[in-house]
């Protein structure tokens, strides 16, 4: 099984940039799709987008297109989620999760990265 | 966007009872439906996929069924380890794949 380890809790101010990471420890990371899922406080889960680690093909959910940037480096088995200018509304827990292929369930999840944006 | 609606939001049961959780899609997702379990402070865990297939290591007391728009997850003889939030997710029609709001199973 692919184990996913995410970067730790971070506190940022509005307007700052941020990149969080998701590192895989199995031998399938380079041929996996990695999804990013947001959960805002007291709310449900939202699918932000997916990236194929092998060639960095990305697919964004319409609500998140232009708001974040997904990237991946297969040589170090790591996927990234980047914001150029955070807003308070970006506060939430962000999970990475693995899909074996595009139309498949999320079979491994990271532990979540809490992002707190506050002035 | 396909909307996934779960009911009830909270389910209160005693260990030993059986419970059924519901997940409804706003349009057909065929059999492309997964269920997840999440305990406080933990990452979600895949329980079921393909509507009714148990993921590796999932006990047989978890039974899921359904197709199209109506799905259910039954936990036969609830154990203390089963108290958690359960949420469904379709992976049929991108973009995007969407999640249900979750059902909290509590004592």
């Amino acid at each position: 099984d692919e184990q996913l380890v995410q970067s730790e809790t971070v506190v940022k101010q509005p307007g700052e940039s941020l990149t969080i990471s998701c590192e895989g420890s199995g031998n399938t990371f380079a041929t996996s799709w990695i999804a990013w899922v947001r959960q805002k406080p007291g709310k449900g889960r939202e699918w932000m987008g997916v990236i194929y680690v092998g060639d960095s093909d990305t697919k964004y959910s319409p609500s998140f297109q232009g708001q974040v940037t997904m990237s991946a480096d297969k040589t170090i088995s790591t996927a990234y989620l980047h914001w150029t200018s955070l807003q308070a509304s970006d506060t939430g827990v962000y999970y990475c999760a693995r899909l074996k292929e595009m139309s498949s369930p999320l079979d491994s999840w990271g532990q979540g990265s809490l992002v707190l944006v506050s002035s | 966007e396909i909307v996934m609606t779960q009911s009830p939001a909270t389910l209160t049961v005693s260990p030993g009872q059986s419970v059924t959780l519901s997940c409804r899609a706003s349009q057909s997702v065929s059999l492309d439906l997964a269920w997840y379990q999440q305990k406080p402070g933990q990452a979600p865990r895949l329980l079921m996929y393909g509507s009714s297939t148990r993921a590796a290591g999932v006990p047989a007391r978890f039974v899921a069924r359904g197709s199209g728009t109506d799905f259910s997850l039954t936990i036969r003889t609830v154990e203390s380890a089963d108290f958690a939030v359960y949420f469904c997710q379709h992976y049929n029609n991108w973009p995007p794949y969407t999640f249900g709001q979750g059902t909290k199973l509590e004592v």
Side-chain angles (χ1 to χ4, degrees):
Chain A
D1 281 359
E2 193 69 49
Q3 304 294 320
L4 302 176
V5 179
Q6 296 185 231
S7 46
E8 296 299 318
T9 295
V10 62
V11 181
K12 288 285 192 177
Q13 294 191 337
E16 291 188 309
S17 64
L18 172 67
T19 299
I20 61 175
S21 64
C22 170
E23 182 177 357
S25 60
N27 56 8
T28 61
F29 194 84
T31 57
S32 297
W33 290 85
I34 296 295
W36 288 96
V37 175
R38 179 175 77 178
Q39 186 167 21
K40 298 175 84 166
K43 301 294 185 182
R45 295 151 195 84
E46 302 169 272
W47 194 296
M48 302 175 71
V50 292
I51 182 167
Y52 183 67
V53 177
D55 63 6
S56 293
D57 180 25
T58 56
K59 300 182 188 300
Y60 292 91
S61 295
S63 299
F64 291 91
Q65 181 79 50
Q67 306 305 307
V68 294
T69 302
M70 297 179 294
S71 61
D73 185 341
K74 65 182 178 183
T75 64
I76 56 171
S77 298
T78 302
Y80 303 95
L81 183 64
H82 175 76
W83 293 260
T84 56
S85 180
L86 285 162
Q87 303 174 36
S89 58
D90 293 317
T91 293
V93 177
Y94 292 83
Y95 294 95
C96 64
R98 188 198 90 115
L99 303 84
K100 189 169 110 174
E101 52 193 38
M102 189 58 195
S103 292
S104 66
L106 299 165
D107 58 16
S108 297
W109 291 68
Q111 83 277 18
S113 297
L114 173 60
V115 174
L116 180 59
V117 184
S118 175
S119 54
Chain B
E1 174 176 312
I2 298 176
V3 177
M4 308 300 292
T5 302
Q6 288 188 244
S7 60
T10 304
L11 203 47
T12 304
V13 300
S14 300
Q17 288 185 297
S18 292
V19 294
T20 297
L21 289 61
S22 174
C23 174
R24 177 165 289 179
S26 60
Q27 65 188 70
S28 176
V29 297
S30 186
L31 296 173
D32 299 329
L33 192 285
W35 290 91
Y36 302 87
Q37 176 193 65
Q38 187 172 21
K39 298 180 180 180
Q42 295 186 18
R45 169 198 179 195
L46 175 65
L47 279 182
M48 318 289 289
Y49 62 95
S51 172
S52 62
T53 303
R54 277 185 290 273
V58 175
R61 65 178 182 276
F62 290 88
V63 177
R65 52 174 54 95
S67 66
T69 61
D70 290 314
F71 301 87
S72 65
L73 174 68
T74 296
I75 310 173
R76 296 174 176 165
T77 316
V78 171
E79 298 186 3
S80 57
D82 301 335
F83 292 101
V85 173
Y86 294 84
F87 59 96
C88 60
Q89 174 236 323
H90 86 81
Y91 48 95
N92 179 260
N93 185 16
W94 178 268
Y97 298 150
T98 49
F99 297 94
Q101 290 293 94
T103 291
K104 182 179 181 181
L105 187 65
E106 61 179 26
V107 181

